[in-house]
Structure formats: structure tokens, C-alpha cells
Amino acid sequence: MTRDDNSDPTVPDRRETRLPGWRLLILGGTAEARALAAAVIARPDVAVVSSLAGRVAEPRLPVGEVRIGGFGGAAGLAAWLGEHRIDAVVDATHPYAARMRVSGIEAAATADVPHLRLERPGWTAQPGDRWHRVPDLPVAVATLPTLGRRVLLTTGRQSLAAFAPLADLWFLARVVDAPDEPVPAHVRLLRSRGPYTVDGETALIREHRIDVLVTKDSGGALTEAKLTAARHLGLPVLMIDRPAPAAPPATVTTVDDAVRWLDRHLPAG
Ligand code: NAP
């Protein structure tokens, strides 16, 4: 069998040697990763394994086989790809999972396995938005006291410790699981996970007299309501930009495009 004319010349064509029984690894932890697993699982010629970091006590599980826990860096993942005879990797981890992204690129290169990044687009400001974009967490911490005193913090459990020095501010910190690192002196933890509604977010902001929202530019519809609520209420938003990869891998932004990429790099069933 030869490579078709539309295939990506930078990706090794494995169809000659690995027909049938292809094995796909999805690096997950996002709605897109779960949707991709659901989209591919019906294919009789592809076995899907989804991988989760194990950060969340009760993760939302994708359909199909799931493994949980780190691989031990890029070298560990490269070895794992070989041991499990993986034919393609789709990294659908969260836009802020920067270490896993680098690890996935390096490991796929080492193991000579096609690699695709599936990353949802970030949010776009609309008329009426009062967004202050900052490049990273330290700049967000330095900027926050200039924007407000009562903070709705939605950047996740792992970022709470960075805000701990801001002892004069009051935080409503929304987290999936309780943090195990230091937290700001004046903090109320709100354990929940989306999706959220505009009405719910508006009520939350009003109830706690929030005057500034802090968020990552996660993108997607599930957690976007807070931005609409902030716009309606005239609240400033401190938006922490996504970490930029040094060398961006081949990337798509939708599950449909990821499936099309797989169709090009895996044989039809
Ligand atoms: P990270 O900083 O990039 O990753 C830290 C380490 O966790 C990685 O080096 C890897 O360990 C392990 N890891 C991460 N994702 C993994 C996966 N899907 N499968 C197996 N091991 C994984 O990532 P993070 O920001 O802590 O995020 C952890 C997970 O939560 C990701 O899967 C991500 O999709 C999800 N998530 C993150 C955010 C966020 O805001 N960061 C939000 C929602 C969901 P080894 O080096 O040992 O392989």
C-alpha cells in the first residue's frame, strides 16, 4: 500500500506495517478529549486508550479504556508508546497543561509516532468587555490589587498558592477539589465544576459582591458564562494568557478535524 496524495509528508505512513488493529493514545482531561474518544471508539479498526493525569479525585471519564497517572516525563511516555504499540497520539490536554504538551511532542518524536494537538480556541473579547490580559500567573498576581478587592478566582486549585501573598484581598475560589497548598488568608472555597449559566454566574457575583474576575483563557462554552456575566455587570476581568509553545506542533481546534486527521493517518475500517 502506498501513501495517498493528500497525506502529510512529515508523518510516517504506518499503514503498510500495522494493518489492522491500530492503537490511538489520547492525552486527555478535557471535554474535547472525551468527545474524541467517543467519536473514534466505534471504529472496529482502532483501539483507543485515554490517559488522565489523576489530579481530580472523581474525574469525568471518557468512554473506552482509560489509564491514570503520569508517565515519568517524555522518556517515560516514549517508552510507554513503544510498550503499548501505539500508532498515533492526539494530545487533547487542557491549553494550560504545558508540561504534558512538551512531553507529548518529544515522546512522539522519539517513538516515531504521528502526533496531533487538539486545542480549543481561546475566548475573544466583545464590546463591553473590560479584559486585562496578562502573560502569566506572576504578572496576574502583581496586577490584581490594581483591579479590585473582592475576587472571583477561577484559575484552579494549582494556582491558589500564587495568590497567597495578597492578604488584603478577599477571594471566592472555585475549585474542583480542595487545594493541598497554601491559600490566601481571606478565601472562601467553592467546590464545583461546570457547566455554568449566565444567570447562575450573575447571582454568584452579586451575592459575594465580587468586583473582579480572574480566569485563564480556557476557551469553550462550558465555562464561558462568567465572562458574559462580568460583561453585563461591568466587571473587570484579569485574563491570564495561554502558555505559548516554543515550537507549536500540528494543531487542530475541533474534534471533527482531529477525526479527519486520524482518517488520513489511520486506514479506513
Ligand atoms: P501539566 O502541568 O502539563 O502536567 C504535569 C504532569 O502531569 C505531566 O508532566 C505528566 O506527568 C502529568 N500529566 C498531565 N496530563 C496528563 C495526562 N493527560 N495523562 C497522564 N499524565 C498527565 O498538566 P496540568 O496543568 O497539571 O493538568 C493536568 C491534567 O488536568 C491534564 O490532563 C489537563 O488536561 C487537565 N486539566 C488541566 C487544567 C489546567 O488549567 N491546567 C484544566 C482542566 C483540566 P509525567 O511527566 O510524569 O508524564
Side-chain angles (χ1 to χ4, degrees):
M1 186 181 295
T2 55
R3 181 187 289 275
D4 66 65
D5 289 344
N6 295 325
S7 64
D8 181 346
T10 64
V11 175
D13 189 336
R14 293 163 176 261
R15 284 174 282 191
E16 295 171 26
T17 53
R18 300 210 55 83
L19 251 179
W22 288 68
R23 291 178 61 78
L24 167 67
L25 173 66
I26 300 174
L27 299 171
T30 58
E32 288 76 15
R34 292 190 292 277
L36 180 61
V40 177
I41 196 125
R43 283 181 61 155
D45 58 327
V46 183
V48 184
V49 184
S50 294
S51 176
L52 302 179
R55 292 274 188 285
V56 177
E58 291 178 23
R60 289 181 172 136
L61 293 174
V63 295
E65 189 180 334
V66 177
R67 60 146 324 269
I68 297 182
F71 296 95
L77 177 53
W80 194 96
L81 295 176
E83 280 161 24
H84 292 80
R85 299 177 294 103
I86 297 297
D87 296 292
V89 175
V90 176
D91 170 12
T93 54
H94 192 268
Y96 289 77
R99 278 196 287 159
M100 190 68 247
R101 177 170 57 194
V102 171
S103 215
I105 295 167
E106 289 178 7
T110 303
D112 193 22
V113 169
H115 172 282
L116 180 72
R117 171 86 181 139
L118 167 57
E119 183 171 310
R120 70 181 86 133
W123 288 309
T124 305
Q126 297 183 25
D129 279 329
R130 295 176 58 204
W131 291 6
H132 301 258
R133 283 194 174 273
V134 289
D136 54 32
L137 197 51
V139 180
V141 173
T143 308
L144 184 55
T146 68
L147 296 176
R149 315 301 294 170
R150 296 181 64 85
V151 185
L152 174 55
L153 187 60
T154 63
T155 49
R157 175 179 56 143
Q158 295 181 87
S159 65
L160 267 181
F163 292 93
L166 301 182
D168 293 341
L169 305 191
W170 184 88
F171 292 87
L172 180 64
R174 191 155 62 189
V175 291
V176 176
D177 287 326
D180 42 21
E181 292 180 17
V183 297
H186 306 293
V187 66
R188 178 151 167 195
L189 294 176
L190 179 59
R191 290 190 54 188
S192 81
R193 61 178 151 197
Y196 302 104
T197 64
V198 175
D199 284 350
E201 298 291 59
T202 303
L204 188 75
I205 289 169
R206 284 199 168 124
E207 179 189 347
H208 295 282
R209 294 179 287 115
I210 298 296
D211 59 13
V212 59
L213 165 67
V214 183
T215 179
K216 294 173 178 172
D217 187 8
S218 297
L222 299 183
T223 58
E224 194 177 12
K226 61 190 169 188
L227 298 173
T228 309
R231 185 184 315 127
H232 292 167
L233 295 170
L235 237 60
V237 175
L238 188 56
M239 176 81 68
I240 305 174
D241 278 339
R242 296 180 172 194
T251 301
V252 295
T253 56
T254 67
V255 170
D256 285 348
D257 282 343
V259 170
R260 276 190 277 277
W261 181 89
L262 287 169
D263 284 340
R264 287 203 304 276
H265 296 104
L266 304 180

